[in-house]
Amino acid sequence: MSPRPLARLRARLAQRRHRYTPPLAELVRVESDPGYRVLFCAELDAAIQERLASRAAVVAEVEAAADRLRELIRHGGPGRPA
């Protein structure tokens, strides 16, 4: 291996070290910065609402598919007598 790839690897590893944030750093910021807390809570509420809407849509799709399946079973499928 030539020295140049090693230099690139060392540079990448050095960049990664600088990006390290200690565990719970965001929690500390949420608790200590009121402005950040408001933003964090708003984003969290939006994510929860989006997830609930997504779940409701999936439930509706499953219920509709179940209804179609029940109708096929009751009245016979295409090309099949009831």
Side-chain angles (χ1 to χ4, degrees), residues 1-8:
M1 197 174 218
S2 67
R4 178 168 247 156
L6 286 177
R8 278 189 249 154

Side-chain angles (χ1 to χ4, degrees), residues 21-31 36 40 43:
T21 55
L24 307 177
E26 188 170 20
L27 179 60
V28 169
R29 185 171 179 199
V30 166
E31 291 179 349
Y36 187 74
F40 179 84
E43 289 177 352

